[in-house]
């Protein structure tokens, strides 16, 4: 799910908001007599001029307007001419000239063409790199094209430099002539703070993120005799309000005049710094008239074209499009409007821009089904990015449409990638998203989808009323269970493609089963079972999985998902299927023969964070076994749990012994008794690249491998090792950390790690609640051993179902089930049609609402729901302890598992139907022997039978009467 984080910086650097101006058409004039020699006198005042640019700071959602560059563009018979004047007091350049201070130039033989270059020129002002240098970064020309050439001279001036550039037409085989159009853009890379690439900012005449891959996004420059009006002013016409104007600072104090058709509409003095600005009320503005000209001191700054007022009929169509919650209906209405506004080119351009995104939201599933998409597997999120759709002016009639889609993209970007951003960056993104939604809501108060993102929950009432005869836990569980089943069915019906994928890309699609577990594992729903089987089987038919594990070389998180999240659910659904068992066994073979070795301390460990099914990285920077590595062998661990295979026991215990030993040592400042985040290969030491034991620095210093991260994976696996071997040493790390957490809580030291010294015992203890509780390791230890020493911790910090198992108090589990039921009662689109990333189907409220503070709402807790139905006090991912599968559909039925042990099982059942329900229960984990099975209701025995347990699962037939609480008891005879 984090594979795209490598791309995110680039995307956000170049597209966080998209520029305030989209790709435009400009006439650039012929300029004879220009010599590229450093003397710019031959330019005079000639050339098409741009004096305002966007300065983008990484992750900022709004660019800062800047006038610290001045661009003039022209042409002659030899090539495209540019003169760039830069204010720049700090200079940091790099031997790789594209990395720090530089000017990047994109030029194509035509907008939308495939014949193009990205050229990079560095000014040569760094104290160590004093000569102008240039090179080709991207060469998109046909094979066999001649070596690219360029003329460039830099002249130092007070406070900066001036650069003259000629890009020869011969580079792109262009024959220059008046009327010929080419594509071009420019961005200035600015490294003012340091030589760190992360500190780079961008000064851009640059409207879109996709220039390199989509040349239709560049500006269209038409070779002409005279230039277009300059771009020396940024203008916003506030609906029913003033015109807001911003200009270069050098114009402060001058009088701005706005003229239309020979009439002066208004004048005002420009003021302010670093950008001069003004607001002016326009008298007698004719929106149907010709463009307005902005002047300051007889200098033309800009020519502004206005949107023409929409006729009443078109306003009505636009209002309908905004207010509908039906994406296809919105698309239909906007397509109608798009065809009906031909007389307003600016509005036509806005709609042309927006319709790509509107179409994707409404129709990409249909396009994928029809084979109209190049990459159907990402049809959900291919268009979703912070800079999409491209910006439209605030005075555009369709600006609210833009706000709706841009706001959604920002919201879901945070939902998907939030942990990859700083809190300040997340807040900046969400603040902008909220502003956009407010604009959209004002224009469309009847659209309930917008309310999901604001303070207006969208009701999703269940199609049934509470049953007065049922206990409260049963009513709440039914709402949660049937709501979840409805959501899963929606995804199958409206999102799953014939190949089994769901449109979010394979690596994310396969993770969906984790939230399906309450239905997939606890019930027998043929539709859901078939959908999972199609997804899992189809992925293993992909070429990269031919060897039983991905052939793609990347980090452990992303190499493991295609196998772990396909084999594991199928081992739950078809535990005896020889193909799925063989695929799990293959992971054990690769672990033994390829991925692990014996380290210098004599223990087995994984050699690297980066590997594939055929190779292992030998880079020392990635040479770590980490707490995330159990993910690689997740299916093999489940098979080991079931078959207790001696070879697997030898393999996995020799690996777990390394973690036990590392936890016991006080190593590199790590407190003794703490499981580290990573163990270095081949030394077996607990240390990071920079000496911090809690931050190994592996795989680009990914947060995923920093402590405590996925510590719960190792803890659950250690508990499994104890369950299989009975060896107490595998419990030692769990018990030592549970005692640390217990003492920390008792002392009231607080859970903010910032209050403690990084790497210290208190710092660790403050963060141990999630590793011990999130996957249920401590609760599973309690159920497995009966050890009550941590009950105080579990009662304080565990979920409602675990507290119920400890106390028998219905209130705890009822409250927990109510939280998930309430999540199902509102905002259904947030789990279905609004979702853009398939690994985030159930996290919207946790990540969007809790981060933005818009509304206090309990998110769906599918893990706790799964536990109440199966008796597993934790996650089904590692060492699952699910004791039962109800062989019936997840409708009109509730079950609360009260007790599980190797020789006993108890659950309460409630059937909401009107006639008796014939079903069965498949019981897991009972020791071999004879058992008495009884079903009682209101103290009376309804049925009794004897069953013989010989294998890992046993099926018991039931006849459950309607609308009465029944108790199913299974006891050893």
């Amino acid at each position: 799910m984090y594979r795209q984080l490598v791309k995110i910086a680039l995307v956000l650097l170049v597209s966080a908001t998209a520029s305030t101006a989209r790709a435009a058409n400009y006439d650039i004039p012929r300029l004879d007599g220009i010599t590229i020699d450093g003397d710019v006198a031959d330019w005079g005042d000639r050339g098409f001029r741009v004096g305002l640019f966007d300065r983008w700071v990484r992750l900022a959602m709004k660019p800062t307007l800047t006038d610290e560059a001045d661009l003039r563009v022209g042409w002659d018979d030899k090539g495209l001419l540019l003169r760039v004047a830069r204010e720049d007091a700090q200079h940091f350049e790099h031997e790789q000239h594209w990395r720090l201070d530089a000017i990047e130039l994109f030029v194509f033989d035509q907008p939308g063409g495939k014949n193009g270059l990205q050229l990079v020129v560095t000014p040569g002002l760094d104290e160590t790199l004093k000569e102008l240098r240039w090179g080709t970064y991207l060469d998109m020309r046909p094979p066999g094209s001649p070596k690219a050439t360029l003329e460039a001279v830099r002249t130092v001036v007070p406070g900066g430099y001036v650069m003259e550039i000629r890009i020869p037409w011969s580079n792109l085989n262009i024959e220059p002539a008046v009327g010929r159009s080419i594509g071009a853009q420019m961005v200035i890379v600015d490294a003012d703070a340091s030589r760190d690439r992360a500190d780079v900012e961008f000064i851009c005449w640059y409207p879109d993120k996709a220039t390199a891959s989509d040349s239709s996004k560049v500006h269209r420059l038409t070779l002409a005799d005279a230039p277009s009006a300059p771009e020396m002013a940024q203008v916003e016409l506030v609906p029913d309000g003033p015109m807001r104007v911003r200009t270069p600072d050098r114009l402060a104090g001058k009088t701005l005049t706005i003229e239309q058709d020979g009439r002066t509409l208004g004048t005002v003095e420009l003021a302010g710094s670093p950008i001069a600005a003004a607001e002016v009320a326009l008298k007698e503005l004719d929106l149907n008239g010709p463009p307005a000209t902005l002047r300051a001191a007889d200098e033309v700054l800009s020519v502004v074209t206005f949107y023409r007022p929409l006729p009443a009929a078109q306003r009505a169509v636009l209002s309908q499009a905004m207010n509908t919650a039906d994406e296809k209906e919105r698309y239909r209405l906007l397509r109608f409007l798009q065809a009906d506004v031909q007389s307003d080119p600016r509005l036509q351009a806005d709609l042309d821009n927006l319709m790509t995104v509107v179409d994707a939201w409404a129709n990409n599933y249909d396009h994928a089904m029809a084979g109209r998409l190049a990459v159907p597997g990402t049809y959900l999120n291919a268009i979703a990015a912070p800079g999409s759709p491209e910006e439209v002016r605030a005075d555009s009639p369709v600006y609210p449409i833009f706000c709706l889609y841009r706001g959604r993209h920002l919201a879901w970007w945070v939902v998907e990638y939030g942990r990859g951003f700083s809190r300040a960056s997340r807040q900046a993104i969400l603040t902008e998203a909220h502003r956009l939604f407010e604009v959209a809501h004002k224009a469309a108060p009847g659209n309930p989808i917008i309310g999901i993102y604001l303070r207006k929950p969208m009701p999703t009432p269940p199609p049934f009323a509470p049953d007065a005869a049922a206990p409260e836990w049963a009513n709440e569980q039914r709402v949660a269970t049937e709501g979840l089943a409805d959501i899963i069915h929606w995804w199958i019906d409206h999102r799953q493609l014939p190949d089994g994928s769901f449109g979010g890309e394979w690596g994310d699609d396969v993770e969906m089963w984790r939230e399906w577990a309450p239905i997939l594992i606890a019930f027998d729903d043929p539709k859901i079972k078939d959908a999972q089987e199609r997804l899992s089987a189809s992925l293993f038919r992909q070429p990269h999985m031919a060897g039983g594990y991905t052939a793609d070389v990347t980090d452990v998180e992303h190499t493991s998902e295609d196998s772990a999240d396909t084999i594991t659910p199928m081992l739950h659904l078809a535990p005896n299927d020889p193909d799925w068992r063989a695929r799990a066994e293959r992971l054990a073979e690769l672990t033994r023969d390829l991925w692990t070795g014996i380290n210098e301390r004599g223990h087995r460990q994984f050699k690297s964070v980066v590997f594939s099914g055929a190779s292992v990285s030998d880079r020392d920077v990635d040479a770590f076994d980490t707490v995330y590595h159990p993910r690689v062998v997740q299916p093999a661990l489940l098979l080991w749990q079931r078959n207790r295979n001696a070879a697997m026991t030898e393999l996995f215990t020799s690996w777990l012994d390394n973690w036990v030993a590392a936890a016991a040592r006080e190593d590199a400042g790590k407190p003794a008794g703490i499981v580290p985040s990573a163990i270095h290969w081949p030394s077996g030491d607990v240390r990071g690249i920079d000496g911090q034991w809690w931050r190994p620095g592996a795989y680009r210093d990914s947060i995923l491998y920093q402590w405590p991260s996925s510590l719960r994976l190792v803890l659950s696996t250690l508990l499994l090792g104890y369950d299989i071997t009975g060896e107490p040493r595998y419990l030692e790390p769990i018990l030592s950390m549970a005692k640390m957490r217990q003492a920390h809580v008792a002392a009231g030291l607080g859970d903010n790690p910032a209050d403690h010294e990084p790497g210290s015992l208190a710092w660790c203890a403050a963060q141990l609640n999630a590793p011990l509780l999130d996957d249920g390791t401590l609760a599973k230890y309690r159920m497995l051993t009966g050890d009550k020493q941590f009950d105080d911790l579990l009662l304080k910090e565990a979920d409602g179902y675990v507290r119920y198992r400890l106390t028998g108090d219905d209130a705890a589990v009822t409250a927990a089930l109510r939280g998930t039921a309430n999540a199902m009662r509102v905002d259904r689109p947030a789990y279905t049609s609004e979702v853009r990333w398939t690994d985030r189907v159930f996290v919207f409220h946790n990540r969007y609402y809790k981060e933005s503070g818009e509304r206090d709402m309990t998110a769906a807790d599918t893990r706790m729901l799964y536990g109440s139905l199966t008796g597993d006090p934790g996650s089904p991912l590692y060492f699952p302890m699910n004791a039962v599968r109800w062989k019936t559909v997840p409708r009109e039925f509730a079950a609360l598992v009260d007790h599980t042990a190797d020789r006993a099982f108890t659950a309460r059942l409630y059937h909401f139907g009107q006639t008796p329900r014939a079903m069965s229960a498949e019981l897991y984990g009972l020791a071999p022997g004879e058992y008495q099975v009884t079903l009682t209701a209101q103290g009376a025995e309804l049925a009794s039978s004897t069953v013989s347990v010989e294998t890992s699962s046993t099926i018991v037939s039931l006849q459950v009467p309607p609308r009465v609480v029944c108790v199913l008891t299974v006891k050893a005879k």
Side-chain angles (χ1 to χ4, degrees), residues 84 113 131 327 402 711 753 848 854 889:
V84 185
E131 298 296 329
E327 292 295 325
F402 158 80
L711 183 58
Y848 179 79
E854 290 299 330
V889 295

Side-chain angles (χ1 to χ4, degrees), residues 500-516:
S501 66
F502 286 88
E505 78 174 351
W506 284 114
D508 289 349
D509 292 351
V510 296
E511 296 180 6
M512 296 176 74
W513 81 274
R514 304 178 195 178
E515 308 298 340
W516 292 15

